[in-house]
Amino acid sequence: MSLVLDDVTLTYPDGDGRLTALDSACLDVPAGTLTAVVGPSGSGKSSLLAVAATLVTPDRGRVVVDGTDTGRLDRAGKAALRRERIGIVFQQPNLLPSLTAAEQLQVMAHLSGSRDRGAARAMALLDAVGLAEQAGRRPHQLSGGQRQRVNIARALMNDPAVLLVDEPTSALDHERGAAVLDLLVALTRERATATVLVTHDRAHLGRVDRTVTVRDGRLSPPARG
Ligand code: ADP
Ligand code: MG
């Protein structure tokens, strides 16, 4: 029940050469812990999440999600792993304008074929993120902070082993940002997720288990469980 990146290198085509987005990155995130990843823009933070999410295949190295070496999976196997074991929270909530908060979550249950459990689970998760009262509201009736909470609750619908979060507080003020960070730490403990949080907001990092800095695709300190 963890996330392991072992000596992961990722390059992108760049003119005549290649740009190194991740350079021999090692990361070990045990279940129930939250690792923050900080670094300047363009340093490789989102690339790290994309590799961990199996959305991008590295040139070299291993990505192990919840005990599964993702390098052994084909495209369909990776899609199934994402659906069943990985929760992803992107920077923008990307909520569907016509759906209520509860329905945003239930869509996820439909996608994974467990329709019957969707409604009760959606309500339990909205309660866990402090939005039980807002379950019937549509995105335009929610604040920015509330939309980000729906986004987080939605990522937990499949009971993921690994939770990957990209800059969730960037659009929030200090107080709301701190509240979202507290929520992520609490959910990580309660649900025993291996959580990676990308942020360039160093303000709230006292709350996390570990902070790793990325610079030009290199992690320091090279984080090992
Ligand atoms: P961060 O999230 O820290 O801002 P990224 O991981 O998005 O950094 O980007 C790391 C480097 O990889 C940057 O130089 C960026 O321009 C480059 N890059 C990211 N995605 C792509 C892509 N799809 N194709 C080519 N280069 C990319
Ligand atoms: Mg980024």
Side-chain angles (χ1 to χ4, degrees), residues 63-143:
V63 177
V64 183
V65 171
D66 195 22
T68 299
D69 183 347
T70 63
R72 298 177 190 278
L73 300 175
D74 61 10
R75 189 182 272 275
K78 286 179 187 167
L81 184 77
R82 279 198 297 277
R83 207 161 52 231
E84 291 160 14
R85 306 309 288 140
I86 302 176
I88 306 176
V89 179
F90 291 112
Q91 201 163 345
Q92 295 301 326
N94 289 322
L95 301 178
L96 297 163
S98 62
L99 299 187
T100 66
E103 288 164 350
Q104 313 278 349
L105 273 62
Q106 288 172 43
V107 166
M108 303 305 287
H110 279 274
L111 292 178
S112 58
S114 57
R115 190 175 335 189
D116 44 332
R117 289 184 59 228
R121 184 159 175 76
M123 278 313 298
L125 281 168
L126 287 174
D127 192 29
V129 300
L131 288 181
E133 315 246 296
Q134 285 78 22
R137 295 202 184 169
R138 298 180 208 289
H140 72 274
Q141 300 168 308
L142 298 168
S143 70

Side-chain angles (χ1 to χ4, degrees), residues 186-209:
L187 292 168
T188 296
R189 302 272 186 269
E190 280 164 23
R191 288 160 198 280
T193 55
T195 304
V196 180
L197 165 77
V198 163
T199 182
H200 57 229
D201 186 359
R202 288 177 169 272
H204 317 301
L205 293 181
R207 304 157 201 269
V208 310
D209 295 296

